């Protein structure tokens, strides 16, 4: 019974209902090949959301993830143009290291200077975009300037699913293990759930938040290369506004904005829900420009749902206390 009431089960049911409704308009949407394509399209959002999940769990927020993605992706593209023979493994390491460094900048400012995370990441979001412009003078890097190996890695099929999709699955599995089985994962929940109690248990709240930003940045960096490789183009405004979708995926998936509550599975389902919506809009004759409005509405509804659930639990606790008297 508790499984049926869980946020993940409700969200999975909502996705299945949504697919069924779309299928009444276009049967081909639920064809296995198309669903695989939808998953592949959603993988960048899923990876970014898993990084954002860790940050939100610690009562912070990272609005610079899309700008991190864009800057890291541009650097990878420029690296490939300058050195076409550079192994993909090296490019992946560079992408994750640069992304982690950019995330660490956010983390240091929040940890050591005690600046509110939303202010820090709004600032770095603009700075990262500005750095891209300074590096390129606003010029694009197009597919014909990139090597076939650079753009082909993310698209290469393994067992019918592109490498991009497999990387998304691998990231989700690793994050699940980290959050469920490691001390670091438990620290993220403890800091978000009750930072004062976390201090008494020996957890460094600031350092834990710093590590959350580093993980978010690293995954944004990884996504930066994968994004550029898949779409074979790099420019200043890549993934502009995508941070809204990332936050929406987390909140829809049950990650509490107040911190300390949420799951990896819920985050993945939240991303998949938005992915299905985004891919279904053209099918049901709705302009894709409505996507931002839908994402914003979904955030408000999900936050309201979370707040209502929290109040309900509070009333149950109070009633239990009254009965105890």
């Amino acid at each position: 019974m508790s499984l049926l009431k869980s946020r993940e089960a409700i969200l999975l049911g909502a996705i299945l209902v949504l697919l069924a409704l779309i299928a009444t308009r276009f049967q081909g949407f639920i064809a296995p090949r198309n669903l695989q394509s939808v998953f592949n399209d959603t993988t960048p959002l899923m990876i970014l959301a898993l990084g954002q999940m860790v940050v939100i769990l610690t009562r912070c927020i990272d609005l610079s993830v899309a700008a991190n993605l864009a800057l890291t992706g541009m650097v990878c593209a420029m690296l490939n143009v300058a050195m076409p023979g550079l192994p993909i493994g090296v490019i992946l390491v560079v992408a994750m290291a640069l992304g982690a460094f950019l995330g660490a900048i956010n983390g240091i400012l929040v940890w050591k200077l005690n600046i509110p995370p939303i202010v820090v990441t709004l600032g770095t979001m603009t700075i990262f975009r500005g750095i891209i412009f300074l590096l390129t003078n606003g010029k694009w890097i197009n597919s014909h300037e990139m090597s076939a190996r650079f753009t082909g890695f993310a698209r290469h099929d393994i067992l019918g699913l592109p490498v991009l999709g497999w990387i998304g699955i691998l990231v989700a599995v690793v994050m699940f293990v980290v959050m469920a089985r490691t001390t670091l994962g438990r620290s993220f929940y403890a800091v978000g759930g009750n930072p004062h109690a976390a201090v008494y248990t020996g957890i460094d709240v600031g350092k834990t938040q710093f590590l959350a930003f580093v993980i978010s940045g690293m995954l944004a960096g990884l996504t930066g290369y994968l994004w550029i490789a898949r779409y074979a183009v790099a420019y200043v405004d890549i993934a502009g506004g995508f941070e809204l979708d990332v936050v929406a995926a987390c909140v829809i998936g049950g990650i509490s904005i107040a911190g300390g509550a949420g799951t990896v599975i819920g985050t993945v389902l939240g991303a998949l829900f938005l992915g299905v919506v985004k891919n279904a809009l053209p099918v049901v004759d709705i302009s894709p420009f409505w996507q931002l409005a839908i994402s914003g509405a979904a955030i408000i509804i999900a936050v309201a749902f979370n707040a209502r659930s929290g109040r309900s639990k509070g009333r149950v606790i109070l009633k239990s206390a009254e009965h105890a008297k």
Side-chain angles (χ1 to χ4, degrees), residues 247-291:
V247 173
C250 291
V251 176
I252 292 169
I255 307 300
S256 172
I257 290 294
T263 65
V264 169
I265 294 173
T267 303
V268 170
L269 290 173
L272 290 175
F273 178 84
L274 282 182
V276 170
V277 170
K278 178 181 177 180
N279 282 271
L281 291 180
V283 174
V284 294
D285 295 326
I286 297 176
S287 169
F289 293 109
W290 276 96
Q291 185 194 346

Side-chain angles (χ1 to χ4, degrees), residues 96-203:
M96 289 189 286
L98 178 57
F101 173 73
L102 297 177
I105 292 173
N106 290 329
I108 286 289
L109 292 173
V110 171
W111 177 20
K112 296 299 185 181
L113 300 184
N114 204 28
I115 305 173
I118 192 168
V119 175
V120 168
T121 56
L122 273 173
T124 53
M125 174 178 71
T126 307
I127 292 170
F128 296 163
R129 294 280 182 189
I131 291 173
I132 302 173
F133 191 85
L134 291 174
L135 288 173
T136 64
N137 289 320
K139 295 178 181 177
W140 291 32
I141 297 178
N142 296 304
S143 58
H144 67 274
E145 300 174 79
M146 303 177 191
S147 69
R149 186 168 52 176
F150 180 87
T151 56
F153 175 75
R155 307 175 189 180
H156 179 67
D157 270 21
I158 299 177
L159 300 177
L161 185 67
V163 168
L164 174 61
W166 286 113
I167 290 176
I169 292 171
L170 177 62
V171 169
V173 170
V174 170
M175 290 301 296
F176 179 83
V177 173
V178 168
M179 300 306 295
R181 304 293 180 187
T182 69
T183 303
L184 180 61
R186 289 190 287 272
S187 296
F188 291 139
Y189 283 108
V191 166
N194 192 329
H196 300 295
V199 170
Y200 287 114
T201 61
I203 297 172

Side-chain angles (χ1 to χ4, degrees), residues 74-108:
M74 179 60 79
V75 169
C76 289
M78 294 175 71
L79 203 57
N80 177 247
V81 171
M83 294 179 282
L86 201 64
I88 298 301
V90 174
I91 291 176
L92 284 170
V93 170
V94 169
M96 289 189 286
L98 178 57
F101 173 73
L102 297 177
I105 292 173
N106 290 329
I108 286 289

Side-chain angles (χ1 to χ4, degrees), residues 34-43 46 161 165-166 169 272:
N34 188 68
L35 290 178
Q36 174 229 297
S37 178
V38 170
F39 178 76
N40 202 48
D41 286 344
T42 308
T43 296
M46 185 176 77
L161 185 67
W166 286 113
I169 292 171
L272 290 175

